[in-house]
Amino acid sequence: MKRVSVALIAALLLGVPLLAQVRPLTVTGVRGLTFGAVLPASPRHSADRSANSGQFDIRGPNRKQVLLSFVLPAAMIGPGGALMPLSFGAGDAGYSQSQLIGSQVGFDPRQSFTATLSNNGRGSVFVGGTANPATNQRAGAYTATLTLNVTVLP
């Protein structure tokens, strides 16, 4: 009788953490959105399906829906505070459960988007955009911060 109760108690104790485990949500920036060489007065588009797209990898609870929303910059800042306007269009973002750039569902990064994580709780978000340099755009390196907010839905 002692062996059965000890085994039962051990089984119950081992089972409790397994039921309570929920994978936490993590979002990792894999690569930044890049435009390469940009010439004055020549807009440069980086598509969400290209190697220049920004990429975020998501891990979280299996098969859970997540709400994706971006905070998009209006411009990049360069030498001496020079600004280079940015724009984002309806097809400039994409989501892929398989985390492959070629298998994404496109969406508008200016709008929130509901996605479902894969069976193993993964997904990737890709984002592109357009740099719009002026005719007198100052030469140099320009940067901006693009933020992806991810919320696990109930």
Side-chain angles (χ1 to χ4, degrees):
M1 189 76 157
K2 262 188 179 175
R3 286 186 186 167
V4 173
S5 61
V6 171
L8 179 59
I9 291 170
L12 290 174
L13 290 176
L14 290 175
V16 171
L18 294 176
L19 294 175
Q21 285 181 344
V22 175
R23 181 179 301 135
L25 180 68
T26 60
V27 180
T28 305
V30 176
R31 67 173 176 264
L33 170 60
T34 60
F35 295 100
V38 177
L39 303 174
S42 296
R44 177 78 179 223
H45 183 74
S46 285
D48 63 316
R49 295 184 188 264
S50 75
N52 290 336
S53 66
Q55 180 180 346
F56 298 89
D57 285 350
I58 303 168
R59 280 196 76 172
N62 299 352
R63 297 175 298 284
K64 283 296 275 185
Q65 284 193 320
V66 291
L67 184 66
L68 309 173
S69 62
F70 283 100
V71 177
L72 300 168
M76 293 185 288
I77 300 172
L83 297 177
M84 184 182 306
L86 293 173
S87 60
F88 299 89
D92 279 342
Y95 174 75
S96 172
Q97 276 189 346
S98 65
Q99 298 185 291
L100 300 173
I101 199 167
S103 68
Q104 51 183 299
V105 174
F107 69 95
D108 187 337
R110 300 169 297 180
Q111 306 291 325
S112 295
F113 180 78
T114 301
T116 303
L117 297 177
S118 69
N119 290 339
N120 62 0
R122 294 176 186 238
S124 289
V125 177
F126 301 90
V127 63
T130 303
N132 299 295
T135 54
N136 61 345
Q137 192 70 52
R138 183 178 286 178
Y142 287 76
T143 62
T145 300
L146 183 149
T147 304
L148 172 64
N149 294 309
V150 181
T151 305
V152 176
L153 299 174

